[in-house]
Amino acid sequence: MTTLLFLLLVIAFVLIAIIRYEIHPFLALFGGAIGYGLLVGMDLKMILQSITEGFGGVMGNVGLLILFGVILGTFLEKTGGAMVIAEKVLSWVGEKSINLSLMLSGWVLSIPVFGDSTILMMNPIAKSLSAKSSVSYAATIVAVSLGAMISHSLVPPTPGPIATAGILGADLGLVILYGTFISLLALIPVHFFINRWVSRIPLRPTAVSTTQEVSHQDRPKLVSSLLPILSPLVLIFFASIANYPSQPLGNGTLKDLISFLGSPVIALFIGALLSFTLPKKLDRKLLSATGWLGEALVAAAPVIFITGAGAIFGKMLQNSGIGSSVTTALEGANWGLFLPFLLAFGLKCAQGSTTVAMITTASIVAPLLSPLGLDTDILKVFTTLAIGAGALAISHANDSAFWVVTQLSGMTTKQGNLSHSLGTLIASFSAMAVLYLISLIVV
């Protein structure tokens, strides 16, 4: 019981450090991990070992996944490839279903691109479509934001789900498969909410944005834009099939080749390389330290180091023997997937960052998978997605996405809470409900 109390104390310290004193999550998590080790009386050599094993163990795999995913997204954004995909989705669904088109566009774009960037990129389209129709601007931009946030939390190669799957040891191919299915189903009640509730907010665009964009003739084709995204997803999916216990593809050279190409690191590396074909002319300066590649490295670094600090925290918990404490404390309880969901939900509400909430929750839950009965291969996948569902909500004043939505659209804070914030709550509960129903069938 004392061990659990120390854990709660350290979690409170981490949250206060991040929220109240605006200390970087890396330092807060790293300091919290060491503090926890000292509080529970761990041997000093074991504390050092936990730091080395935790950080080193996650960097070689998860760190590269995050980096390649960010590189892919950066080139899609900078070349206009992301807008090509968005406009094609709009043309497929049609402007008669404006909110559905924008929500699906936000969902697609936020798989490779950061959620805030997706909202910023799609805002001119959301604004224009609202101006050309009677649809509320609040509805169009919230459709983008909620679509983006759902895939941002549930579908790799977005950094949060990649890091969470890596920490928990979940099969990334299955996370992609189930995450895609669950997130799309979660869009249904969200779409209903936008059409029936958010569209009632009387907000009109003041002027159509004149933000500079990549000219149409310089944009890549649709197939070229989709190739860097779909190629790694397909490779990872086929590798999951090849590595299935029944060995449907045999056990020879073909299986080994598919397993190699579909390993997450190689698959995303291939996706990153394919993104280099998107610029009309690949200037070597784009791959320099000051070019687009350099920008991607800068953007990826905080997420990578936060993931590393979270892994140290998790390894410290594991080496402290907290698993046996939790087994005793939860004996007879049946929390299952709801414990990681509620923990991620609370962390997201408290400190605002989806990625930080997911990584922190995964680090805490990883050594507890066995006591919670979540240590099978499929339940590790479902735990990853339960964490993603929890980290969806609630996006409010401490989340940058909330302010991107309200400041771009001119919504008041109250309107933002009644639309974007409430929408993330609905999305979170919807995703968890779908996940729970699937777990009853599959497990």
Side-chain angles (χ1 to χ4, degrees):
M1 194 64 186
T2 305
T3 305
L4 293 175
L5 289 175
F6 283 144
L7 174 59
L8 293 175
L9 182 64
V10 170
I11 292 173
F13 162 78
V14 171
L15 289 175
I16 292 171
I18 295 172
I19 299 168
R20 176 67 177 85
Y21 297 103
E22 299 181 350
I23 294 173
H24 194 281
F26 168 78
L27 186 59
L29 282 168
F30 186 72
I34 295 176
Y36 173 82
L38 294 172
L39 283 172
V40 298
M42 288 177 64
D43 182 82
L44 296 180
K45 289 183 179 179
M46 182 57 71
I47 291 177
L48 290 175
Q49 182 180 329
S50 300
I51 293 172
T52 304
E53 291 179 355
F55 193 82
V58 79
M59 281 301 99
N61 186 21
V62 180
L64 291 174
L65 293 181
I66 294 170
L67 175 60
F68 294 145
V70 173
I71 290 172
L72 192 162
T74 299
F75 273 75
L76 265 176
E77 180 182 346
K78 297 285 189 181
T79 59
M83 292 304 297
V84 171
I85 297 172
E87 289 173 359
K88 180 54 66 175
V89 172
L90 285 169
S91 69
W92 285 339
V93 180
E95 292 192 9
K96 290 183 179 180
S97 303
I98 289 175
N99 292 334
L100 178 60
S101 301
L102 291 169
M103 187 172 63
L104 289 175
S105 298
W107 181 88
V108 171
L109 291 189
S110 201
I111 292 174
V113 179
F114 281 105
D116 289 5
S117 297
T118 296
I119 299 169
L120 288 166
M121 284 192 299
M122 288 295 298
N123 178 56
I125 296 178
K127 199 169 190 178
S128 297
L129 291 177
S130 175
K132 294 175 185 177
S133 66
S134 59
V135 179
S136 167
Y137 184 22
T140 59
I141 194 166
V142 169
V144 172
S145 72
L146 295 182
M149 295 198 73
I150 288 174
S151 60
H152 180 77
S153 298
L154 294 169
V155 187
T158 307
I162 282 183
T164 303
I167 292 170
L168 297 180
D171 185 304
L172 196 58
L174 291 178
V175 173
I176 293 170
L177 179 64
Y178 281 104
T180 299
F181 181 68
I182 290 168
S183 61
L184 287 173
L185 288 180
L187 291 177
I188 297 173
V190 170
H191 182 239
F192 183 83
F193 164 73
I194 292 169
N195 283 345
R196 294 298 180 91
W197 177 258
V198 183
S199 60
R200 295 181 180 179
I201 297 176
L203 187 70
R204 302 300 302 166
T206 52
V208 177
S209 175
T210 57
T211 303
Q212 289 187 348
E213 298 178 5
V214 180
S215 61
H216 282 271
Q217 60 267 28
D218 291 334
R219 290 180 181 179
K221 301 295 184 183
L222 177 64
V223 174
S224 301
S225 301
L226 287 172
L227 198 59
I229 304 174
L230 296 182
S231 295
L233 299 185
V234 170
L235 288 171
I236 291 170
F237 179 68
F238 275 104
S240 295
I241 295 176
N243 294 321
Y244 202 72
S246 61
Q247 297 184 337
L249 300 180
N251 196 26
T253 305
L254 177 62
K255 184 249 186 183
D256 292 340
L257 179 61
I258 292 175
S259 296
F260 173 75
L261 294 176
S263 62
V265 170
I266 299 300
L268 276 170
F269 178 59
I270 291 171
L273 291 179
L274 289 173
S275 72
F276 296 162
T277 66
L278 295 177
K280 189 174 183 180
K281 181 181 179 182
L282 184 60
D283 191 327
R284 66 176 182 273
K285 291 182 180 178
L286 297 179
L287 304 181
S288 68
T290 56
W292 294 353
L293 185 61
E295 290 182 28
L297 292 172
V298 171
V303 182
I304 291 173
F305 280 100
I306 292 170
T307 302
I312 292 170
F313 197 176
K315 182 60 70 172
M316 201 75 71
L317 293 174
Q318 181 180 338
N319 290 341
S320 72
I322 195 173
S324 58
S325 300
V326 172
T327 302
T328 303
L330 297 180
E331 190 173 6
N334 188 24
W335 286 90
L337 295 170
F338 289 99
L339 182 62
F341 169 78
L342 291 172
L343 185 55
F345 185 93
L347 287 170
K348 171 59 188 289
C349 290
Q351 53 78 46
S353 169
T354 296
T355 304
V356 171
M358 293 185 73
I359 292 170
T360 305
T361 303
S363 302
I364 294 170
V365 169
L368 309 180
L369 289 174
S370 181
L372 291 170
L374 302 173
D375 53 344
T376 65
D377 289 341
I378 191 63
L379 283 174
K380 288 179 183 178
V381 172
F382 290 166
T383 302
T384 299
L385 296 173
I387 291 171
L392 255 171
I394 299 173
S395 174
H396 57 96
N398 61 3
D399 183 7
S400 60
F402 175 85
W403 295 111
V404 170
V405 170
T406 54
Q407 295 305 304
L408 284 176
S409 63
M411 275 194 281
T412 64
T413 301
K414 181 180 179 180
Q415 288 173 330
N417 286 327
L418 291 174
S419 56
H420 173 80
S421 300
L422 183 56
T424 60
L425 180 64
I426 293 171
S428 176
F429 285 179
S430 299
M432 188 59 206
V434 173
L435 173 61
Y436 180 66
L437 290 175
I438 290 176
S439 71
L440 293 178
I441 298 170
V442 175
V443 177

